Amino acid sequence: QRLFDTAHGIIVIIGSDQRVGLINRKGCELLGCDERDFVGRNWFDTFIPEARRAEARGIFAQLMAQEIQTDASRVIPVLAAGGNEKILLWHNSVLADETGAPVAMLSSGQDVSALKNAERALLETDERLRIIMETVRCDEAAIIDPSGNVLSWMAGTDRGRGARGKEVIGKHFSSFFSTEDFVS
């Protein structure tokens, strides 16, 4: 237990009966529960979101039957206190008795919720930007970063300014206007 408590991620031992035999301090902190809230409870019924239970149980059964490799990591969410979901990257290892028969699963997980949420937000932003760039119908359009440098240049803009996109990416937008343009 003391060794497991030094880990920076969650460590849980799930018996072949699917009940929690041990959880480390970081796991308790991450999920917002006390150790007594875990030990003896069915891991899948209590801590896996209902929509993912069948999948998680299937993976557990395959790992325990040694039908799939334990070296593959898997992203599976868990339920924290209050019903909040945390997205964890899991690594699993089968624990066997002296005869080699599987008796439990040692699982360690790292919270990747922030990373997955940022990844999802980036994909959504990228998709919105793609739709905007495909649907905008004008002669000139560019995306400028907060410093004024060109990030993206639409093809129609090439004709209006006499420059090609590859030549303008990274340049400050002011370089495309004359002094008279700025005055007017």
Side-chain angles (χ1 to χ4, degrees):
Q1 181 71 51
R2 285 189 309 210
L3 175 64
F4 288 161
D5 284 343
T6 63
H8 292 286
I10 183 174
I11 295 178
V12 62
I13 295 179
I14 304 166
S16 58
D17 61 355
Q18 301 182 1
R19 298 192 180 284
V20 176
L22 179 142
I23 188 164
N24 68 339
R25 184 178 315 137
K26 184 63 174 185
C28 294
E29 291 171 9
L30 180 70
L31 300 180
C33 298
D34 191 78
E35 183 180 358
R36 65 180 167 262
D37 297 325
F38 292 94
V39 176
R41 299 194 64 191
N42 184 290
W43 175 256
F44 302 98
D45 291 341
T46 310
F47 303 105
I48 302 296
E50 188 173 351
R52 302 290 299 271
R53 284 182 191 153
E55 173 193 2
R57 273 195 172 101
I59 292 169
F60 178 79
Q62 288 178 310
L63 287 166
M64 292 296 286
Q66 299 176 340
E67 295 171 356
I68 58 176
Q69 296 293 330
T70 58
D71 57 357
S73 58
R74 293 166 176 80
V75 175
I76 297 179
V78 294
L79 291 173
N84 297 324
E85 282 189 23
K86 300 274 186 172
I87 303 168
L88 274 73
L89 177 64
W90 291 99
H91 304 277
N92 303 294
S93 182
V94 175
L95 302 177
D97 64 14
E98 59 280 346
T99 67
V103 295
M105 179 72 58
L106 172 65
S107 299
S108 65
Q110 289 297 124
D111 186 0
V112 293
S113 301
L115 179 63
K116 289 294 183 181
N117 290 336
E119 183 179 276
R120 187 174 19 258
L122 182 59
L123 289 172
E124 290 170 2
T125 300
D126 188 50
E127 178 62 13
R128 284 192 299 264
L129 181 58
R130 185 191 61 75
I131 290 169
I132 289 169
M133 294 302 282
E134 286 179 359
T135 57
V136 169
R137 303 285 185 230
C138 64
D139 288 337
E140 294 185 15
I143 298 175
I144 310 296
D145 72 12
S147 300
N149 298 311
V150 177
L151 294 176
S152 180
W153 188 263
M154 286 183 54
T157 311
D158 291 352
R159 291 185 297 276
R161 291 278 165 214
R164 286 192 223 113
K166 291 178 184 171
E167 297 170 357
V168 298
I169 303 295
K171 290 186 179 178
H172 195 271
F173 79 94
S174 63
S175 63
F176 305 107
F177 297 95
S178 67
T179 305
E180 293 80 27
D181 289 332
F182 282 108
V183 170
S184 68

